[in-house]
Amino acid sequence: MAEPLRVVVTGAAGQIAYSLLFSVAKGDVFGKDQPLELLLLDITPMMEVLNGVVMELMDCAIPLVKNLVATDDPNVAFKDVDAAFMVGAMPRKEGMERKDLLKANVKIFKAQGQAMEKLAKKSVKVVVVGNPANTNACILSKYAPSIPKENFSCMTRLDQNRAQAQIAAKLNVSTEKVSNIIIWGNHSSTQFPDVAHAKAEVQGKVVTVPEAVQDDNFLKNEFIKTVQQRGAAVIKARKLSSAMSAAKAACDHMRDWFIGTKGGNWVSMGVISDGSYGIKEGLMYSFPVTIENKKITIVQGLSINEFAREKMDATAKELEQELSDALAECVD
Ligand SMILES: NC(=O)c1ccc[n+]([C@@H]2O[C@H](COP(=O)([O-])OP(=O)(O)OC[C@H]3O[C@@H](n4cnc5c(N)ncnc54)[C@H](O)[C@@H]3O)[C@@H](O)[C@H]2O)c1
Ligand SMILES: O=C(O)C[C@H](O)C(=O)O
């Protein structure tokens, strides 16, 4: 059997982690034959709750879990980790935008970046879930400069999954019949869910999503708005932010990173821009990517029309502002 992978989950006593830990532990992400050491980090006042989570994980009696460590010490949690789910951060409440969390959350990612710099494996693969996810991921990477920038990402997979589910519902097909929807930009209400290059299988025939849906007005308006506002809609209904679907998306994201994408399909991830599609270098921007041997490659050469260009630039502009606000918060 392989050596155990060391996987840290921050915010481990919170609601996303409660679903995420179960899926990770039973092999949904790293494979059914991959043993795991799970490192669970939360803050000191949450240690009793976290101990309850540990008890439950033990009681699941999952053979892949070789070691469980619950801690409030980043020096313990990030030591030699291979994969990191960075969930620990305050969630927004009804009426807030995700960027309103910047002041509260960005310093968490500065401190955890500094801890990762000292302790994590240089090959660690990191997904940031805590909001504002793109900017937090940028800050995390900035404070862990010896870890390659391409090892940091943020989660826009929930937006991709939401978009896929909306199109599947519109076409009355199962979700796996819809692929290659792109989420461009920020995990915020300026994100651009783009179906221009997406495919759908309808009655045995694969066509583009615009051809299948035959309703440009819906695709340019209601669809985009629904995806952009889905997080807020869940908060309004549940009085809590999405958790089950967020955990599922985090698993999808990390599984694709470790196992790879398949069959010419791409997925969306926030990654550090290399200037592709005219997006300023250094921004943590969501692009369509493919993954092979754990290497992420931004899909190149997609045609971008005027409608898309405007939306891609607007979300980039918001990210530039967020990053500059975050850097100001990080000055001691
Ligand atoms: N990117 C996405 O698609 C997406 C989706 C859903 C939620 N989120 C975000 O994920 C974050 C977590 O959401 P949740 O619903 O699990 O919140 P939650 O409040 O239930 O849990 C967050 C946990 O993080 C812990 N925490 C706070 N500071 C910490 C620190 N410095 N180190 C370690 N742990 C710390 C808290 O004590 C708490 O247990 C929020 O910021 C939320 O907005 C992002
Ligand atoms: O919307 C939120 O604040 C939570 C999360 O980012 C989501 O998209 O559901």
Side-chain angles (χ1 to χ4, degrees):
M1 212 178 209
E3 280 294 295
L5 274 184
R6 285 173 65 81
V7 179
V8 60
V9 176
T10 74
Q15 48 150 4
I16 294 176
Y18 193 71
S19 294
L20 175 63
L21 284 166
F22 178 57
S23 294
V24 171
K26 68 188 175 64
D28 291 354
V29 178
F30 301 103
K32 303 284 179 198
D33 298 322
Q34 176 59 60
L36 300 166
E37 289 190 46
L38 296 179
L39 300 133
L40 314 186
L41 178 70
D42 212 294
I43 52 175
T44 311
M46 295 304 284
M47 283 304 105
E48 194 181 343
V49 175
L50 188 56
N51 279 332
V53 175
V54 169
M55 283 188 246
E56 284 211 64
L57 267 173
M58 281 181 70
D59 298 347
C60 289
I62 298 172
L64 287 179
V65 179
K66 300 300 176 197
N67 192 16
L68 268 175
V69 178
T71 182
D72 56 1
D73 182 355
N75 294 315
V76 174
F78 292 113
K79 178 103 181 86
D80 293 332
V81 285
D82 298 289
F85 292 91
M86 307 297 288
V87 183
M90 190 192 282
R92 67 173 163 154
K93 306 250 164 27
E94 200 174 335
M96 292 169 81
E97 286 293 331
R98 296 179 186 103
K99 64 185 163 203
D100 299 336
L101 297 167
L102 218 150
K103 213 177 170 58
N105 287 343
V106 80
K107 290 208 175 104
I108 298 176
F109 289 84
K110 175 181 175 183
Q112 293 181 348
Q114 288 165 332
M116 282 190 146
E117 171 72 4
K118 280 190 287 166
L119 297 159
K121 287 191 183 150
K122 299 304 171 202
S123 57
V124 63
K125 308 286 182 271
V126 185
V127 59
V128 173
V129 176
N131 279 320
N134 300 54
T135 299
N136 287 338
C138 228
I139 295 296
L140 192 70
S141 158
K142 176 181 162 58
Y143 285 96
S146 69
I147 299 174
K149 294 220 167 307
E150 52 274 22
N151 293 11
F152 292 89
S153 69
C154 80
M155 185 170 98
T156 53
R157 185 57 169 268
L158 178 53
D159 308 296
Q160 178 192 313
N161 289 349
R162 286 167 172 165
Q164 189 178 343
Q166 289 298 319
I167 296 296
K170 180 82 178 167
L171 294 173
N172 198 20
V173 297
S174 169
T175 48
E176 85 271 13
K177 304 288 184 197
V178 179
S179 61
N180 289 10
I181 294 181
I182 301 169
I183 305 297
W184 298 99
N186 200 0
H187 173 62
S188 77
S189 51
T190 66
Q191 67 177 267
F192 173 40
D194 180 6
V195 294
H197 310 277
K199 296 179 288 183
E201 187 187 322
V202 186
Q203 288 164 356
K205 214 172 140 215
V206 178
V207 292
T208 70
V209 164
E211 278 168 333
V213 171
Q214 296 276 323
D215 186 349
D216 250 26
N217 186 37
F218 165 80
L219 290 175
K220 286 192 161 150
N221 295 290
E222 189 186 330
F223 162 72
I224 292 179
K225 198 149 191 217
T226 301
V227 178
Q228 288 175 332
Q229 295 296 335
R230 190 67 160 187
V234 171
I235 291 171
K236 191 163 188 291
R238 242 170 63 84
K239 316 294 174 228
L240 283 171
S241 70
S242 61
M244 181 188 4
S245 56
K248 157 70 166 58
C251 290
D252 289 346
H253 178 117
M254 195 65 98
R255 183 204 58 231
D256 286 347
W257 203 345
F258 272 73
I259 313 287
T261 52
K262 287 187 268 306
N265 284 343
W266 59 67
V267 294
S268 291
M269 286 185 177
V271 295
I272 296 277
S273 173
D274 59 359
S276 291
Y277 297 97
I279 301 303
K280 191 176 173 186
E281 269 181 58
L283 285 184
M284 181 67 66
Y285 190 95
S286 179
F287 289 100
V289 302
T290 55
I291 302 158
E292 205 179 337
N293 297 328
K294 303 198 182 87
K295 186 181 171 339
I296 297 175
T297 305
I298 297 174
V299 175
Q300 298 295 329
L302 297 172
S303 58
I304 305 295
N305 63 22
E306 216 178 297
F307 177 80
R309 187 74 257 169
E310 201 181 296
K311 296 215 165 325
M312 287 164 68
D313 289 346
T315 190
K317 194 161 167 227
E318 182 186 49
L319 275 173
E320 268 189 70
Q321 183 60 51
E322 259 184 49
L323 184 57
S324 126
D325 294 349
L327 291 169
E329 287 297 329
C330 287
V331 176
D332 290 316

